[in-house]
Structures are given as structure tokens and as C-alpha cells.
Amino acid sequence: MSSDKTMNTYKRMGLVLVRGSGSTVEDEEGKKYLDFTSGIGVNSLGHAHPKLVAAIAEQAGKIIHTCNYYQSREAIELSDALCARTGMDAVFLCNSGAEANEGAIKIARKCGETRGASTVVTLHGSFHGRTIATLAATGQDKFHEHFGPFPAGFAYVQAEDKAALDAVLDKSVCALMLEPIQGESGVLPLSAGYLRYAAKLCAERGILFIADEVQCGVGRTGSFLASSCAGIRPDIVTLAKGLAGGVPVGAVLARGEAATILKPGDHGTTFGGNPLAAAAGRVVLAELGASGFLEGVAKKGERILGTVLSWKHPAVIQARGAGLMIGIVVSVSPDKVKELCIAHGLLVLTAGSDVVRLLPPLVITDAEIDRGLAILRDVLDQAAKA
Ligand SMILES: *Cc1c(COP(=O)(O)O)cnc(C)c1O
């Protein structure tokens, strides 16, 4: 095998995946794995979904890219479908979660400009991306090493602390940005009460409420948007990961003033909204819109949580999440669990310092769930003994 010249920015597992089908992937040696990661919540329709493959192939044969000075029918239709689904007014299509959050931050800064409100408040433990501005927005110190100086105008507040939120949301603030379920830091759902309180404060004070649903959105929790479970309507929602089933995409959804503040020349992207990604996104939205699909996601999530909790396993401290976004807090090393799972043909993720994170494809079957969980249970037994 040739040497690996890709930069060593990930703790890679030495696995080279070459193909997949549904919730199964296969490595170069032909070994199969049940995929409880969907590429960090990206392969929402699983691998090689026939409709997604056909749409991508068909679109590739028509037109892959046009510059954004021309309009693409696929981008119009995807944006339409997103607004119809969420009640938002307009969409900016881009290529990743970080880029969607950058767009949201720019919208918020411009909305606050005339009144001198420029601070974006985020939560401790949040994760908003890897660009310099979204690293600054990320409320975890470990992300603020090495790459400074960071842009000013970010403030952080403890999640679930209503008094602290009330105090920090002053006249200098243009937006509050948060993940309804914090993903990277350990699958931590915010309470509906806190989300509603935050939305109410923002509305009263003319502060934009930005929901970063890059990980928890697009049906992941069994609801198209996680924020709607709490009964809130953010001013801006950012999406990415699962939106095009694996093709790079991001989206900033906005309503009200936030939907119209950006004027020609204010923002842009070369690849964003390209017909290929948009065609893929349309398939994902259509599949998620099928009768019973999202209810099925919710049920599968309950099956996983119910099963894991029924073990009363000594290595399991807690299991939490919504739909197919699940965090299992373990007393053993999550990295060890991840490694042992690979050896037994199961791919899982970790999050935070003590969480095994499960983000299976939304199309996973009950039988696959049961098979994967049986492996996980054996692995937890082994890890607990070691
Ligand atoms: C993954 C993630 C991002 C960053 O998305 P990229 O596509 O990697 O830039 C931002 N916010 C949340 C909540 C995420 O989970």
C-alpha cells in the first residue's frame, strides 16, 4: 500500500472503507461492519440508497455545477422544500456546517449593525465548526488553542442557567446561537423549558435565535428540526451533515428580517447550491417526508435507548438523546469501546470524554439495531473486565 500523505488531523483507525449498502459498510479486505455512525450523521439514507444514487448519477449526467450568477432548478426546489418543511422564509445554500454557521453569524452581525449589537452568545460545551470564527463561537477552551488571535464579539454562557442567560443577553448582543442537542460534547439535549425561555428572551430583546442543527437537524431526532420538539421557532437554523445524504452541503434557513438582510455582494460561495448537492438534498427531503418515516426514526431511537437501559450494565452510567442521536455515558474508555467494536464488526462514535455516540443511518432496521446492540453489549462486557 502507498504511504498516506493526508495530513494527520484525525485519530484515524486504520480502516479503509470502500463500499456500503444500507447500514453496512465494507473495508478493503472485504470485512463488513454494521454502521452506527453514518459518517457522523451524514449518510442519513444509509449507503448506496438506490434513489439517491440514481438522482446523483442523473444529475451528474446533466449538469454538476453552475456559478451562482445563474440559478439552478435543483437549488430552487431544495430551498422551496426546506421552507415548506420548516416554515422558514429563505435559504442560503453552502457546503458545510461551519460555513452555514459563518453565514448565520454574518446575518446576525448585519441585523445588529445599525444598533451597534455585534456579540454572538453561545453555550459552554458547544461545537460550531472549525473555521476561525466558528472556533471562536465554540464554547470549549480546548478549541481556542494554537490558532489565535480569534475574532472578537463572542460571549459564552452556561447551558440551562436562565439567570446567566438573562444577564448576558444585553444590548450588545445580536444573536444567541446554540445546538438544541449538543452533539460533539456528549449528546446533551437542552431542556424544552430552557429552549423556550431562551427563545422568549431573544424575541423580547430583538436578538436573533440561531439553532445550530447541523447534527441534530434533518430528521435525526425523529422530528425534521430538533428545535420544533421544544415548540420553538428559531430566526435562523443551520443544517449540513445529513442534508444531502453524503454529498457536501450546508444550509442557512432564515425567517423575517434575517431572511432578507443579505444583499447582492454581501455573501457568497463558489460551490454552494450546486445542482449535484441540491439534487441529492431533494431526495433526502422526499424520503424523510414519506408517511411514517420520522415516526419510525423516533421509534428506533426508543428501541435503542430502551434496550441499552434494560441491560442495567455496570459500565453504562446513562443513556440519553432523541431519535437516532444517542449518547451512552460509560465508565470504561469510549475509545476502547470504539476499537473493540471495530474488531467485532460494528462502527460507533465517541463524544465528549466519556460518551459512546450512536448516529446510525435513519433507514436502519430493527433487526440491524438488535444485531449492533448485541455486539455493543459484548464489547462493554469485555471493556469492563479489562
Ligand atoms: C459537525 C458540526 C458542525 C461543523 O460542520 P462541518 O460540516 O464539519 O463544518 C457545526 N455544528 C455542529 C453542531 C456540528 O455537529
Side-chain angles (χ1 to χ4, degrees), residues 40 95-101 127-131 134 179 181-184 212-216 238 240-241 249 325 357:
I40 318 193
N95 310 285
S96 70
E99 201 188 337
N101 287 336
F127 179 79
H128 296 298
R130 299 285 189 166
T131 63
T134 57
E179 302 153 86
I181 302 180
Q182 292 188 334
E184 295 306 310
D212 176 349
E213 299 221 16
V214 167
Q215 188 162 155
C216 64
T238 56
K241 291 195 166 82
V249 73
M325 180 170 182
R357 177 172 41 154

Side-chain angles (χ1 to χ4, degrees), residues 111-360:
C111 283
E113 190 181 21
T114 49
R115 60 176 206 281
S118 60
T119 301
V120 175
V121 172
T122 66
L123 302 183
H124 288 302
S126 58
F127 179 79
H128 296 298
R130 299 285 189 166
T131 63
I132 296 286
T134 57
L135 278 178
T138 292
Q140 300 185 58
D141 289 341
K142 69 173 180 192
F143 287 97
H144 299 161
E145 291 165 3
H146 313 306
F147 308 114
F150 288 99
F154 291 91
Y156 314 96
V157 69
Q158 195 58 44
E160 300 291 342
D161 184 338
K162 291 183 182 172
L165 189 64
D166 182 26
V168 77
L169 293 181
D170 63 20
K171 286 191 161 45
S172 70
V173 176
C174 62
L176 169 69
M177 177 157 82
L178 53 75
E179 302 153 86
I181 302 180
Q182 292 188 334
E184 295 306 310
S185 61
V187 190
L188 288 152
L190 297 177
S191 70
Y194 178 76
L195 286 170
R196 280 200 286 268
Y197 179 78
K200 179 169 153 282
L201 279 190
C202 285
E204 283 167 7
R205 299 176 190 183
I207 291 168
L208 293 178
F209 186 109
I210 304 171
D212 176 349
E213 299 221 16
V214 167
Q215 188 162 155
C216 64
V218 199
R220 179 53 54 190
T221 65
S223 159
F224 188 78
L225 295 182
S227 44
S228 56
C229 290
I232 56 164
R233 274 186 76 210
D235 301 288
I236 299 176
V237 176
T238 56
L239 302 175
K241 291 195 166 82
L243 178 54
V247 181
V249 73
V252 187
L253 282 54
R255 64 184 180 93
E257 187 197 7
T260 57
I261 192 90
L262 293 182
K263 304 296 182 213
D266 277 345
H267 194 45
T269 159
T270 297
F271 291 121
N274 71 78
L276 190 75
R282 274 191 327 193
V283 175
V284 171
L285 257 72
E287 290 299 298
L288 265 57
S291 160
F293 187 98
L294 291 177
E295 292 83 346
V297 171
K299 282 212 191 86
K300 291 175 208 178
E302 283 160 22
R303 185 183 191 90
I304 295 177
L305 279 179
T307 303
V308 171
L309 291 170
S310 76
W311 297 339
K312 302 200 184 336
H313 198 284
V316 173
I317 296 170
Q318 199 198 351
R320 62 193 174 211
L324 291 172
M325 180 170 182
I326 288 173
I328 305 171
V329 186
V330 290
S331 59
V332 292
S333 153
D335 281 328
K336 185 78 201 162
V337 171
K338 184 165 70 172
E339 264 169 50
L340 286 169
C341 279
I342 287 181
H344 291 81
L346 175 69
L347 304 184
V348 300
L349 295 161
T350 60
S353 57
D354 57 357
V355 172
V356 174
R357 177 172 41 154
L358 310 181
L359 299 171

